[in-house]
Amino acid sequence: MRVVSGIKPTGNLHLGNYLGAVKQWVAMQEEIQRAGGETMYFIADLHGLTEWIAPADLRAQTIEMTATLVAAGIDPARSILFNQARVSAHSELSWLLNNVARVGWLNRMTQFKDKAGKNREGASVGLYDYPVLMAADVLLYNATHVPVGEDQKQHLELARDIATKFNNDYATELFTLPEPLVSKAAPRIMSLRDAGAKMSKSNPSEQSVVKLIDSDEVIADKFRKAKTDPDLLPATWNELEGRPEARNLVTIFAALADRTPEDVLAEYAGRGFGQFKPALADLAVATLGPIRDEMQRLLNDASAIDAILKTGAEKAADLAGPLLRRTQEAMGLVI
């Protein structure tokens, strides 16, 4: 079993990013390796180019994302951790697969429509074509499983379609068809000021989002001031129907504590938010504080980050090289 997953380098990661993706990767590292498999995680800096970004910002965000993953628990000695651009086989295989993928398949990709909006003619070719690069990212390593959210299932299906067509067209069994690995534990974290909207760094209200770089005092203050309602907490999850702010805070508490929402409610049933929010603030500080401190330590040691990415890229390239060669041979590109 080989699990491969990538994450775009974005700056100022927040609690939603941590609980929805990073924490899941750390748990996966433990579970997959206990089962005898291996995990590969990469910073998807090539995907970061689909929309304009200043080169200095892309470099800084790649470094920050690497520091965040390591600080949160991704161990470069146990998982292969690298940035995508250092392994040229990603770009090379992507071009080869472009000649297998069909335009009709890409036209059905809903994320391009969402991201390009009304400016489709002005969008980059990369934004249109990046699902093929995503296919190359996982097919390159014969990934057996790929962690996906609901919004990425369509892209994994495309990867399977491309792999199937390649295998059929060239009478080979070269590519493994990866299976989705859907984490039911990944919570959807909403804004602390409006539980009808996802937590996002683009929200104009600083109080709505808990950033991983926030100080202990700032984290605690944001939770103490989080929007709630005047009612007491009930004993069951179903009784929180119609109370989105309360549901959001209970969800965050459960995710940070590795407990179920039902378990949290069993402890706090009948109590008000005057008791619950300080307990949640303490839990968030205790969980996020050490990650922030380690992340800042790593960011102050650029050579250490570079060494992690360099070593990881060398390991990834060693795995990717033979499959890329066999792909080229199958297509008649090796004379």
Side-chain angles (χ1 to χ4, degrees), residues 36-90:
E38 60 182 333
T39 47
M40 299 181 67
Y41 300 126
F42 64 90
I43 316 300
D45 45 3
L46 292 176
H47 288 289
L49 296 173
T50 57
E51 297 177 88
W52 165 252
I53 181 172
D57 290 342
L58 181 57
R59 280 191 290 268
Q61 290 175 17
T62 298
I63 291 169
E64 181 182 331
M65 181 64 77
T66 305
T68 301
L69 294 178
V70 175
I74 296 298
D75 184 354
R78 298 173 60 193
S79 295
I80 297 178
L81 177 62
F82 63 102
N83 63 305
Q84 186 187 29
R86 292 194 190 216
V87 183
S88 61
H90 285 255

Side-chain angles (χ1 to χ4, degrees), residues 43-241:
I43 316 300
D45 45 3
L46 292 176
H47 288 289
L49 296 173
T50 57
E51 297 177 88
W52 165 252
I53 181 172
D57 290 342
L58 181 57
R59 280 191 290 268
Q61 290 175 17
T62 298
I63 291 169
E64 181 182 331
M65 181 64 77
T66 305
T68 301
L69 294 178
V70 175
I74 296 298
D75 184 354
R78 298 173 60 193
S79 295
I80 297 178
L81 177 62
F82 63 102
N83 63 305
Q84 186 187 29
R86 292 194 190 216
V87 183
S88 61
H90 285 255
S91 300
E92 295 178 70
L93 183 60
S94 178
W95 174 251
L96 299 181
L97 297 183
N98 269 331
N99 298 282
V100 177
R102 304 290 91 178
V103 171
W105 298 352
L106 290 177
N107 284 341
R108 290 194 291 271
M109 297 292 106
T110 57
Q111 282 210 25
F112 172 74
K113 300 172 187 175
D114 294 341
K115 291 182 179 181
K118 296 179 180 179
N119 188 35
R120 292 187 191 179
E121 295 301 314
S124 72
V125 173
L127 186 62
Y128 177 76
D129 190 47
Y130 82 91
V132 179
L133 176 58
M134 290 183 72
D137 293 334
V138 297
L139 297 179
L140 185 60
Y141 301 104
N142 275 328
T144 59
H145 294 80
V146 179
V148 291
E150 288 298 324
D151 60 340
Q152 296 294 335
K153 283 185 177 180
Q154 189 182 37
H155 290 150
L156 186 60
E157 283 303 316
L158 176 69
R160 291 171 57 88
D161 288 342
I162 291 173
T164 299
K165 189 174 190 314
F166 185 99
N167 288 346
N168 289 337
D169 286 354
Y170 294 99
T172 181
E173 295 182 0
L174 180 59
F175 290 120
T176 299
L177 273 60
E179 297 289 340
L181 197 60
V182 181
S183 173
K184 296 179 181 178
R188 182 178 172 86
I189 305 301
M190 313 306 285
S191 161
L192 297 185
R193 305 303 300 167
D194 175 13
K198 283 183 68 175
M199 184 174 285
S200 171
K201 65 180 180 180
S202 63
N203 193 300
S205 171
E206 279 290 319
Q207 290 295 124
S208 72
V209 54
V210 175
K211 298 177 181 176
L212 297 189
I213 60 171
D214 283 344
S215 67
D216 291 351
E217 294 75 16
V218 169
I219 293 171
D221 182 67
K222 287 179 178 180
F223 278 111
R224 283 195 295 264
K225 294 179 179 177
K227 184 179 178 182
T228 53
D229 58 45
D231 297 332
L232 300 177
L233 285 166
T236 66
W237 181 251
N238 288 340
E239 292 176 88
L240 281 179
E241 185 70 35

